[in-house]
Amino acid sequence: MYNPRFRALATSGERDISIKKDVETFISSECFGRRVFNRSTMKKMLPKKIYANIVAAMEGREKIKEEYADPIALTMKEWAVSQGATHYCHWFQPLTGAAAEKHDSFIEWESNDDVIEKFSGKQLIQGEPDASSFPSGGLRTTFEARGYTGWDPTSPVFVWKAGDGITLCIPSVFFSWTGAVLDSKIPLLRSDKKINDASLRLLNMTGVKANSVFSTLGTEQEYFVIDRALRNLRPDLVMLGRTVIGAAPAKGQEMQDHYFGTVKDRILCFMHDVEERALELGIPLKTRHNEVAPAQHEFAPVFEKASTAIDHNILLMELLRQVALQHNLSCLLHEKPFHNFNGSGKHCNWSLSTDTGINLLNPTDTPENDLHFLILLTAVVHGIHKHSTLLRASIGTATNDFRLGGHEAPPAIISIYLGEELEELLNSIESVTGPVKGKGKGKCVYDLGLNVSPELSQDNTDRNRTSPFAFTGNKFEFRAVGSMSSPMMPVTVINLTVAESLNEIMDEIEQVVGGGKPKIEDIIPILRKYVLKSKNIRFEGDNYSADWVREAEKRRLPNIEKSIYSYRSLLSPETIKLYKGVLTKEELESRYEILCENYANILSIEAKVIIELFETQVLPAALKQQKLLAKSILTTQEALGDKADLTEQKKFLKDLTELIAKGITIKEVIKSKSSHADGLDNVAKAEAHCTEAFPLCSELREVCDRLEQVIDNAIWPLPKYRELLYMV
Ligand code: ADP
Ligand code: MG
């Protein structure tokens, strides 16, 4: 009997993991950014005036001058060709969550015989891909398919290698011919402008010198790596990136022997290649290690300006997939590939930085003046409290829902952890009555008896790993973001909420302070109001506990287990106001539509995949097992006659038969429920899948897993958990 599983197992066991690499050839510091059209390359290749213009554009201070577009394009092409590039593309991020690219060759035909390589300023600055198949959420009907991509000079141009193809990639924004925003980058860039304006107001008042402020981001990326041959035998991994069935192996993650454990040779070869490619692309990867679940790992870069960090994260995810294939591995970025094993997240570490290098959330950066820290902290807490449902929506995907609320991931309830000292500080602001005096010129010592800086060092804030949004000494760590998601929307929402909240607080402060020097006793009463209003979102305890769920309910904090129920927050008057100047009401509505559609589609695919698996793999194997047993009982009976006591075997056969029948029944109900759901509009479809079809998929899974445990190993066709997780 041929079982493809054994062939895949043999293939995976025979992989050549001899370490061929001549490590000497790659010197990180020399190779860093060599595939990026970066400042040092531009400085060497472009005339001074043009270089100055492009640097100003990169920093968002100027537009690229029209007359410079051609010479820039020419130089860019020269550089790209010297790197082996034959094509160029506008690289952009439509609302699919992934990056998009359409390659055009540099070649132009002068006549039938004459071919030259050309790249003009016009081609650099604007592209016009056929936009009809990108999601627009009803913003643009198909016959009006015109969509434009426009070069975003704030992100560095790079050269991407895939297979034998080398392509010049021009990071771009994407919009329709009516000007409607069709990507996730434009809102981010606009949110950064808002955070800049609001922060500069604050810094002007507190006297911290800076020309601009931007959000910074460091993304810790978790992922699984398994053997490619085994993955290819699992339709669920191929179609969804997650196993929809699979019995628990004898050993789970209870030994906790994987976290920070020795990285195996084969994985390290893969990681090393990823690092090489990433460094060449200017992605500052710094950390690599094993994560909690077997076959789970993490990469973390050094933080950068948020928009660059996000581009880099999207490139990194692509690299992980691509390099894994080259190593005959498969990288799973899904938030919950394996039931009962830790899922993967993408911790988004967020802060604000000035162009002069001050981290506004690090009180030790400005020891002489920490008033801005106190105001900013209050603004963050208040902003997140006010828009917590929107923040929940920003990380809400059908795939991330499998992970949230598990006992290893942040719950679906958004709360903030500040650490003991800051808690105490905000509590004191709240409880002190009457005037509060600041004294001393150097450090700001409040009469609250507390000192915000510089004693408050990073190490003083202890870690609460269960919190979805935790202050970690000099930044906030948003842990609820899914491993597969682009950080674009969550970071945009954080920027916007903090900017709005800061502006609100600054309006009040400026009324009291006027143009004069701020006095702490004037400011504290204002902050107190905001601290009180947002108090409910602060939580120091165990976010995984059942007590917290009850406590959060008392505090009236939303607990939205299914993301679909958070999406409506995109349509609320508060959100429309928050997004003023960033996205219009219609653009928000379109995003709402797209989120609902994606959510519904994923659940619909889930149902189809488990049905297919049951019908074409589990059931046939179960029927074979049933036949084997029945035959064995009959032949034994024949051989031994009355002397045979076959009670137990018969019971086994009866149980198996019942289990098979149960599976068939559930499968039929899923079929009818999900086909009914698929006929509904997106929101109703998503809800029907969530409440009706999906719970049955979980029941069918139990049946399948039970069958896997009793069916002859030689018959079972699907790679088992122990094979997927432990055999690389
Ligand atoms: P961990 O949370 O695992 O202890 P680290 O403290 O080393 O890890 O930092 C995690 C991530 O936070 C890294 O990507 C790091 O670059 C990033 N980070 C550090 N400082 C900032 C900052 N000011 N803004 C944004 N991200 C930051
Ligand atoms: Mg972390």
Side-chain angles (χ1 to χ4, degrees):
M1 203 180 327
Y2 171 73
N3 186 337
R5 179 170 139 242
F6 290 108
R7 212 173 105 194
L9 281 170
T11 309
S12 95
E14 286 157 13
R15 300 273 190 219
D16 174 16
I17 48 164
S18 61
I19 298 135
K20 297 174 288 274
K21 192 164 293 294
D22 176 7
V23 183
E24 298 296 307
T25 56
F26 192 90
I27 301 163
S28 309
S29 57
E30 278 176 22
C31 298
F32 182 72
R34 77 168 167 201
R35 298 213 173 263
V36 184
F37 193 59
N38 54 22
R39 286 178 196 230
S40 72
T41 306
M42 286 192 278
K43 199 169 182 182
K44 268 186 243 147
M45 295 183 76
L46 285 166
K48 258 200 182 120
K49 272 190 311 199
I50 303 185
Y51 173 70
N53 177 224
I54 209 169
V55 168
M58 284 167 81
E59 288 167 3
R61 290 183 279 111
E62 275 179 33
K63 284 199 160 128
I64 297 281
K65 294 203 171 89
E66 232 181 291
E67 64 271 28
Y68 291 167
D70 275 330
I72 294 173
L74 192 68
T75 314
M76 224 181 243
K77 189 206 77 187
E78 251 173 54
W79 171 78
V81 169
S82 76
Q83 296 262 335
T86 52
H87 287 65
Y88 70 92
C89 78
H90 276 199
W91 184 81
F92 58 104
Q93 289 151 37
L95 299 171
T96 53
E101 48 192 86
K102 178 186 160 211
H103 300 183
D104 277 306
S105 154
F106 285 128
I107 287 180
E108 298 223 343
W109 282 262
E110 299 257 286
S111 68
N112 278 350
D113 304 324
D114 283 333
V115 174
I116 55 161
E117 276 161 350
K118 237 185 171 172
F119 184 52
S120 70
K122 204 165 154 256
Q123 288 164 316
L124 163 66
I125 287 180
Q126 191 161 320
E128 195 201 322
D130 178 1
S132 57
S133 294
F134 288 117
S136 78
L139 267 186
R140 177 180 30 77
T141 41
T142 316
F143 60 86
E144 296 170 322
R146 218 174 273 258
Y148 294 103
T149 49
W151 175 29
D152 161 26
T154 63
S155 268
V157 166
F158 58 94
V159 152
W160 178 260
K161 196 170 171 295
D164 284 337
I166 300 182
T167 309
L168 171 70
C169 294
I170 301 153
S172 300
V173 292
F174 183 46
F175 49 96
S176 79
W177 72 282
T178 54
V181 179
L182 295 177
D183 73 354
S184 48
K185 187 76 171 284
I186 296 175
L188 177 84
L189 296 175
R190 289 179 178 166
S191 77
D192 236 3
K193 168 93 177 59
K194 287 210 172 197
I195 204 79
N196 172 65
D197 296 349
S199 308
L200 284 182
R201 259 179 101 177
L202 171 67
L203 296 186
N204 281 341
M205 184 189 74
T206 55
V208 177
K209 293 222 170 352
N211 303 309
S212 63
V213 174
F214 50 87
S215 50
T216 54
L217 182 70
T219 52
E220 297 164 63
Q221 177 72 50
E222 293 177 339
Y223 58 92
F224 282 81
V225 175
I226 61 172
D227 189 88
R228 185 183 173 191
L230 295 169
R231 173 260 187 195
N232 285 353
L233 276 185
R234 301 264 329 199
D236 45 2
L237 285 176
V238 173
M239 305 310 291
L240 291 161
R242 136 183 145 86
T243 54
V244 298
I245 62 174
K251 178 180 172 224
Q253 57 188 47
E254 64 274 34
M255 312 286 287
Q256 300 181 331
D257 49 359
H258 197 255
Y259 190 54
F260 284 2
T262 313
V263 183
K264 290 178 187 154
D265 281 1
R266 195 170 162 206
I267 297 295
L268 207 55
C269 288
F270 155 76
M271 285 179 164
H272 190 82
D273 270 3
V274 171
E275 279 166 341
E276 269 188 24
R277 297 271 317 265
L279 290 173
E280 285 181 344
L281 286 165
I283 305 172
L285 278 193
K286 175 104 175 126
T287 310
R288 62 183 190 206
H289 61 83
N290 283 355
E291 260 301 328
V292 174
Q296 192 186 29
H297 314 276
E298 178 181 307
F299 263 130
V302 174
F303 72 95
E304 300 174 275
K305 188 171 196 275
S307 55
T308 312
I310 295 173
D311 279 359
H312 281 164
N313 178 254
I314 287 169
L315 285 177
L316 177 68
M317 289 195 284
E318 203 43 54
L319 278 182
L320 286 168
R321 290 192 195 98
Q322 210 185 68
V323 177
L325 289 183
Q326 289 160 4
H327 286 250
N328 283 313
L329 294 164
S330 178
C331 176
L332 307 176
L333 288 166
H334 194 290
E335 285 80 2
K336 194 74 180 176
F338 302 100
H339 190 54
N340 276 335
F341 286 87
N342 274 16
S344 299
K346 173 160 15 218
H347 294 179
C348 284
N349 295 272
W350 174 92
S351 189
L352 292 175
S353 170
T354 66
D355 60 332
T356 49
I358 298 170
N359 175 357
L360 296 185
L361 283 173
N362 187 355
T364 56
D365 265 15
T366 47
E368 73 292 351
N369 186 343
D370 47 24
L371 192 53
H372 72 262
F373 173 76
L374 192 58
I375 298 173
L376 185 58
L377 184 74
T378 309
V380 174
V381 176
H382 173 248
I384 299 299
H385 178 249
K386 183 169 171 194
H387 294 285
S388 70
T389 308
L390 181 65
L391 198 65
R392 169 70 183 85
S394 79
I395 51 116
T397 57
T399 56
N400 202 16
D401 278 0
F402 287 113
R403 158 184 172 256
L404 295 179
H407 287 281
E408 68 344 281
I413 308 163
I414 301 284
S415 70
I416 300 183
Y417 170 82
L418 292 178
E420 209 179 309
E421 273 185 62
L422 290 187
E423 253 320 291
E424 221 176 293
L425 177 70
L426 293 195
N427 284 339
S428 318
I429 289 181
E430 183 191 309
S431 57
V432 162
T433 51
V436 182
K437 278 202 180 130
K439 60 181 181 193
K441 200 169 159 274
K443 290 182 291 178
C444 224
V445 182
Y446 304 123
D447 268 7
L448 303 167
L450 270 161
N451 185 352
V452 193
S453 79
E455 283 84 338
L456 181 81
S457 71
Q458 270 122 285
D459 300 336
N460 286 347
T461 55
D462 32 335
R463 308 235 148 184
N464 182 335
R465 298 267 169 206
T466 70
S467 174
F469 200 89
F471 186 71
T472 52
N474 58 355
K475 61 189 186 293
F476 278 95
E477 183 171 353
F478 190 23
R479 301 201 180 100
V481 185
S483 48
M484 205 158 60
S485 296
S486 157
M488 212 66 99
M489 186 172 170
V491 174
T492 304
V493 171
I494 297 173
N495 283 350
L496 289 177
T497 51
V498 174
E500 181 191 71
S501 175
L502 196 52
N503 278 325
E504 204 180 320
I505 297 176
M506 286 306 296
D507 285 344
E508 286 199 39
I509 294 181
E510 279 173 4
Q511 272 197 355
V512 178
V513 175
K517 236 180 160 320
K519 290 199 208 91
I520 188 84
E521 59 264 39
D522 292 335
I523 288 174
I524 293 288
I526 297 172
L527 296 185
R528 179 182 303 133
K529 235 175 50 188
Y530 288 92
V531 167
L532 278 170
K533 251 206 274 189
S534 58
K535 190 177 163 71
N536 278 349
I537 196 111
R538 281 159 38 206
F539 180 61
E540 301 294 289
D542 178 3
N543 281 257
Y544 298 168
S545 71
D547 284 351
W548 171 229
V549 177
R550 282 189 291 273
E551 166 71 14
E553 198 179 329
K554 270 196 232 146
R555 295 187 186 192
R556 293 170 175 270
L557 293 178
N559 178 7
I560 305 169
E561 283 181 12
K562 299 282 180 194
S563 298
I564 183 83
Y565 298 112
S566 67
Y567 296 157
R568 280 204 77 78
S569 62
L570 266 81
L571 309 178
S572 76
E574 293 82 32
T575 301
I576 293 169
K577 187 161 162 252
L578 180 77
Y579 269 86
K580 194 160 178 276
V582 175
L583 287 177
T584 62
K585 185 166 170 276
E586 290 70 31
E587 286 163 345
L588 282 166
E589 279 165 2
S590 79
R591 267 144 229 262
Y592 167 75
E593 288 296 328
I594 292 168
L595 284 172
C596 293
E597 188 177 348
N598 284 345
Y599 197 94
N601 282 343
I602 287 177
L603 290 188
S604 170
I605 300 169
E606 282 266 337
K608 289 187 186 116
V609 167
I610 198 166
I611 290 170
E612 184 199 328
L613 269 178
F614 182 77
E615 286 181 335
T616 64
Q617 310 234 28
V618 178
L619 185 58
L623 294 175
K624 269 185 215 151
Q625 180 69 41
Q626 190 185 34
K627 195 167 149 194
L628 276 177
L629 254 175
K631 260 195 184 162
S632 140
I633 290 170
L634 279 177
T635 46
T636 314
Q637 188 95 55
E638 251 175 54
L640 295 180
D642 285 351
K643 285 191 201 101
D645 179 4
L646 291 164
T647 325
E648 286 306 317
Q649 281 95 322
K650 282 185 183 164
K651 186 172 175 303
F652 186 24
L653 179 60
K654 188 166 165 283
D655 289 348
L656 178 65
T657 306
E658 279 170 11
L659 207 52
I660 292 171
K662 188 174 172 193
I664 295 174
T665 314
I666 300 174
K667 181 261 299 178
E668 281 306 316
V669 188
I670 297 177
K671 248 190 187 169
S672 83
K673 298 236 180 218
S674 71
S675 87
H676 166 255
D678 286 347
L680 304 170
D681 70 49
N682 282 327
V683 178
K685 174 176 164 184
E687 286 183 7
H689 270 290
C690 270
T691 54
E692 294 183 27
F694 188 72
L696 290 167
C697 292
S698 306
E699 273 185 46
L700 184 56
R701 177 190 186 122
E702 277 174 32
V703 173
C704 293
D705 293 354
R706 191 69 206 109
L707 285 169
E708 182 184 327
Q709 286 164 328
V710 297
I711 288 176
D712 180 358
N713 185 52
I715 297 175
W716 188 255
L718 295 160
K720 301 186 172 195
Y721 268 25
R722 67 159 186 273
E723 295 155 355
L724 294 168
L725 287 166
Y726 292 102
M727 292 183 68
V728 164

